[in-house]
Amino acid sequence: MMRNILTLLMIVMTTCLAIAQSLPLTGVQNARQLGGIAIGDKRVRADVLLRSANLSAASDEDLALLHDAYCVAKVFDFRSTLEHESLPDRVIDDCDYIWLPCLDKAVKEMGPDTEGKAPRPTVSRIGEAILQYLDSPQIKQMADSLYPMIVFDKEVQQHYSTFLRALATLPEGRAALWHCTQGKDRAGCASAFLLAALGADRPTIVEDFARSNIAYQPLIDQLIAKAEEKGCDEEQKNIIYALVGVSVANFEHALDAIDARYGSLDCYLTKALGCDDTLREKLRSLFLK
């Protein structure tokens, strides 16, 4: 009985945190913040560290809110050249825009013929493509290899290093926002590494990463329903989760691979991302209270 009550309390607390972390943006998907996440005996400061999908469809009200209420000073865009050019961000006034193109070659290889105008890589278009090629072994390989590509690509590591160092120069009273196309994989790994630098444990990092599935659950359910009509199996359902939402299992496997290659996530931060003790202390002084 007591165990059931404690479980219920944990569910309620997790739900309340997810609601509190959501950003009230109407044209930007998967928008939330890290504020309120518990790390040891401290919490991440509220309204300072923001993450989202791309800003191409941000409304005028969204831009005003990010500028006036959140005082965003830096925007980090982790999208590839194709994504960046196909869906240009709407710009927040008085804000530094830092483009850190991740997986340029991989996205170009997976994209359309570049001799014609590339279609806008919207989430719904991504979903349609996944359904079309769900039987292809290549799409499973794509789902399985995505996170290893992100965490072990040397150029991506350099971009994450730049991201962490730039956050350490964030002016007092201002916020930072980072995104990729859907705000879940590359932006999710950026959040994971930032949380690790702030001292978060693995369950906390994984929990934040998994929250992207809340934003995309309606589309995931819709695509799975269509796939079930064609007789899809559990593995194919997992592919939909991995490419439309996030695969928590695949992310955990990537963390295991980091441990195997570097010894620990802490060592990865130091050796791969150049996030030493001095930088970590600076980040903690800025973003924990």
Side-chain angles (χ1 to χ4, degrees):
M1 180 67 175
M2 181 59 68
R3 179 178 297 177
N4 291 340
I5 293 173
L6 290 174
T7 301
L8 179 59
L9 285 173
M10 287 298 296
I11 293 172
V12 171
M13 290 171 64
T14 301
T15 302
C16 289
L17 178 59
I19 293 171
Q21 285 184 302
S22 297
L23 302 181
L25 305 179
T26 59
V28 183
Q29 292 182 299
N30 198 17
R32 63 188 194 271
Q33 61 166 301
L34 303 188
I37 293 178
I39 298 178
D41 60 353
K42 296 185 178 183
R43 289 187 180 272
V44 178
R45 293 184 184 276
D47 303 334
V48 178
L49 299 174
L50 318 179
R51 52 173 294 181
S52 72
N54 71 85
L55 306 181
S56 64
S59 66
D60 291 342
E61 292 76 16
D62 292 338
L63 297 180
L65 186 69
L66 291 170
H67 178 271
D68 299 338
Y70 292 98
C71 302
V72 172
K74 296 178 187 288
V75 170
F76 300 89
D77 182 353
F78 290 108
R79 294 178 297 169
S80 69
T81 302
L82 174 63
E83 297 163 297
H84 174 80
E85 293 178 350
S86 298
L87 290 173
D89 275 349
R90 296 200 65 195
V91 178
I92 303 168
D93 290 339
D94 187 30
C95 183
D96 292 334
Y97 191 92
I98 303 166
W99 180 33
L100 301 171
C102 293
L103 303 182
D104 245 1
K105 182 179 179 182
V107 171
K108 185 175 181 180
E109 288 175 350
M110 292 185 292
D113 182 354
T114 54
E115 291 183 4
K117 180 175 176 58
R120 292 163 63 86
T122 60
V123 177
S124 59
R125 188 183 296 276
I126 292 169
E128 292 169 7
I130 290 169
L131 283 182
Q132 183 177 358
Y133 297 105
L134 199 54
D135 292 330
S136 167
Q138 285 80 10
I139 201 165
K140 182 182 186 307
Q141 181 182 4
M142 185 193 307
D144 291 344
S145 64
L146 177 59
Y147 298 146
M149 277 197 299
I150 292 172
V151 302
F152 294 127
D153 183 279
K154 295 298 183 182
E155 185 176 21
V156 176
Q157 290 175 354
Q158 184 57 52
H159 288 329
Y160 285 140
S161 177
T162 299
F163 166 68
L164 293 173
R165 293 184 182 281
L167 283 180
T169 67
L170 190 69
E172 185 176 355
R174 304 292 297 274
L177 182 149
W178 58 94
H179 73 80
C180 49
T181 292
Q182 293 176 250
K184 65 185 187 71
D185 299 314
R186 288 160 292 184
C189 286
S191 298
F193 300 144
L194 173 57
L195 285 171
L198 293 176
D201 59 17
R202 178 162 168 163
T204 300
I205 292 168
V206 173
E207 182 180 4
D208 176 72
F209 194 88
R211 284 197 180 107
S212 286
N213 282 338
I214 298 173
Y216 294 113
Q217 196 63 55
L219 180 57
I220 291 169
D221 291 342
Q222 177 185 342
L223 293 172
I224 286 179
K226 290 182 178 179
E228 285 178 334
E229 292 175 0
K230 300 178 181 180
C232 76
D233 56 25
E234 287 301 314
E235 184 174 74
Q236 291 172 321
K237 292 179 185 178
N238 290 335
I239 291 171
I240 292 173
Y241 258 100
L243 298 180
V244 179
V246 296
S247 168
V248 175
N250 286 358
F251 179 62
E252 295 238 45
H253 291 157
L255 294 179
D256 291 340
I258 286 174
D259 290 344
R261 185 174 299 189
Y262 288 89
S264 68
L265 185 53
D266 276 346
C267 290
Y268 174 84
L269 290 176
T270 303
K271 296 177 181 178
L273 306 189
C275 185
D276 58 17
D277 290 342
T278 301
L279 179 54
R280 294 188 208 194
E281 285 304 315
K282 178 63 175 176
L283 293 170
R284 291 168 187 175
S285 68
L286 285 173
F287 303 128
L288 296 182
K289 64 175 184 178

